[in-house]
């Protein structure tokens, strides 16, 4: 006994109308039934049209459906990425092949609904990962502002040399080291500040030179002093007294 496809198709339409009451819309009955059923993710169904995914699945029976595949179209897709429509149709094609010979519209709608949910979950996960990554980048930039440049022994020594050269510390150190190698007379000759006499300091202190008394006896034997240029660098004050 041959199958009455028309009768089977009409029976399925009635069952679908009761399942998707108020949502399913019959677009045509001849030559074959044509109808559409909307599907959407929960976010979109909640009225947040900028979030979630939504579309309408349009089914058209063929002469020998369900032994042959129905025609399936996607209309009024919302928030779909460029490849979503092609991928969803391919997903439905595989589901159709798995259900040939049986009334399959309910299975196709359910499968498409699950596919949308999975794509939206992936979208929200990726969006959250990008948000977290962006936050980490901002925090890293802020941390670098306070952290500055990491210092190693090499970078510190380079900074120290540059700093001492730019501030003149290096030159002053070299001068001090050179002065340490000089004899007392050489130090006196190279340091101009030692040229200032006691009289200058007295004047700066506000003393009247007329009140300054000079003990001339201190200079009576100055001619007997040995002022030879050949100083004894090893001489230690008081050493001669010890020898006596």
């Amino acid at each position: 006994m041959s199958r009455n496809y028309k009768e089977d198709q009409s029976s399925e339409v009635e069952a679908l109308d009761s399942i998707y009451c108020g949502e399913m819309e019959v677009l045509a009955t001849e030559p074959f039934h044509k109808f559409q059923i909307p599907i959407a993710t929960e976010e979109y169904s909640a009225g947040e049209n900028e979030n979630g995914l939504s579309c309408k699945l349009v089914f058209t029976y063929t002469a020998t459906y369900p032994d042959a595949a129905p025609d399936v179209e996607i209309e009024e897709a919302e928030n779909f990425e460029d490849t979503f429509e092609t991928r969803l149709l391919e997903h439905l094609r595989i589901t159709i092949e798995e259900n040939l010979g049986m009334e399959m519209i309910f299975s196709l709608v359910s499968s498409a609904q699950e596919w949308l949910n999975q794509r939206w979950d992936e979208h929200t996960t990726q969006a959250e990962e990008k948000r977290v990554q962006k936050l980490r980048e901002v925090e890293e930039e802020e941390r670098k502002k306070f952290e500055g440049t990491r210092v190693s022994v090499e970078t510190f020594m380079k900074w120290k040399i540059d700093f001492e050269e730019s501030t003149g510390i290096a030159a002053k150190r070299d001068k001090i080291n050179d002065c340490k190698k000089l004899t007392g007379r050489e130090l006196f000759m190279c340091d101009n500040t030692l040229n200032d006499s006691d009289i200058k300091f007295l004047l700066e202190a506000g003393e009247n030179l007329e009140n300054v008394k000079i003990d001339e006896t201190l200079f009576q034997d100055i001619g007997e002093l040995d002022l030879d240029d050949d100083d004894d660098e090893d001489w230690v004050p008081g050493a001669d007294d010890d020898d006596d």
Side-chain angles (χ1 to χ4, degrees):
M1 181 177 178
S2 63
R3 186 170 186 174
N4 189 333
Y5 293 108
K6 276 282 189 177
E7 183 176 340
D8 290 343
Q9 293 169 8
S10 296
S11 298
E12 185 179 29
V13 169
E14 291 178 5
L16 292 172
D17 186 52
S18 64
I19 295 172
Y20 302 105
C21 181
E23 296 182 353
M24 174 179 166
E25 180 181 357
V26 177
L27 303 176
T29 57
E30 294 296 338
F32 304 104
H33 278 89
K34 181 178 181 179
F35 52 91
Q36 64 182 19
I37 300 174
I39 58 173
T41 59
E42 183 177 352
E43 293 77 8
Y44 192 93
S45 299
E48 302 176 9
N49 293 354
E50 294 183 359
N51 293 318
L53 303 173
S54 172
C55 70
K56 291 182 178 179
L57 301 177
V58 180
F59 300 99
T60 304
Y61 288 150
T62 54
T64 57
Y65 170 87
D67 289 337
D71 292 332
V72 184
E73 301 171 84
I74 296 175
E75 294 185 356
E76 300 181 29
E78 294 287 343
N79 301 328
F80 270 37
E81 294 183 6
D82 293 340
T83 62
F84 275 11
E85 186 170 334
T86 301
R87 291 168 61 189
L88 179 53
L89 288 174
E90 176 62 19
H91 174 76
L92 290 173
R93 183 189 66 78
I94 296 173
T95 307
I96 289 172
E97 291 180 354
E98 294 172 349
N99 288 274
L100 284 176
M102 302 179 291
E103 286 80 359
M104 65 181 77
I105 302 302
F106 178 79
S107 296
L108 295 179
V109 174
S110 299
S111 181
Q113 178 68 64
E114 183 179 358
W115 189 91
L116 281 191
N117 291 339
Q118 291 174 349
R119 300 294 79 73
W120 182 248
D121 288 344
E122 292 173 358
H123 170 79
T124 54
T125 299
Q126 292 173 0
E128 178 63 16
E129 290 175 351
K130 289 180 181 179
R131 187 191 69 81
V132 171
Q133 179 63 27
K134 182 65 176 179
L135 181 61
R136 287 175 179 171
E137 292 175 357
V138 172
E139 291 176 347
E140 180 67 14
E141 289 298 324
E142 291 297 322
R143 185 183 63 79
K144 288 181 179 179
K145 291 180 182 179
F146 292 98
E147 182 183 72
T149 304
R150 293 185 180 275
V151 178
S152 63
V153 175
E154 292 76 12
T155 57
F156 173 76
M157 294 305 298
K158 182 179 184 301
W159 171 86
K160 182 174 180 292
I161 293 172
D162 294 340
F163 175 78
E164 291 183 348
E165 289 182 352
S166 63
T167 56
I169 294 176
K172 292 179 182 178
R173 182 189 296 113
D174 293 340
K175 184 175 181 180
I176 292 172
N177 291 335
D178 291 341
C179 289
K180 288 181 179 178
K181 301 175 183 178
L182 299 176
T183 64
R185 175 177 293 181
E186 290 172 337
L187 182 62
F188 182 86
M189 296 299 295
C190 72
D191 192 346
N192 295 330
T193 61
L194 300 179
N195 295 336
D196 295 329
S197 66
D198 291 342
I199 294 178
K200 176 181 177 181
F201 294 116
L202 290 171
L203 290 173
E204 291 178 351
E207 294 287 345
N208 191 334
L209 293 181
E210 295 178 357
N211 299 329
V212 177
K213 295 181 179 181
I214 300 175
D215 188 354
E216 296 181 357
T217 62
L218 298 175
F219 302 95
Q220 290 178 354
D221 299 330
I222 193 170
E224 299 177 3
L225 295 176
D226 184 8
L227 300 178
D228 189 7
D229 292 339
D230 297 333
D231 293 341
D232 186 358
E233 295 181 0
D234 296 330
W235 176 78
V236 179
D240 295 339
D241 297 338
D242 295 338
D243 295 339
D244 294 342

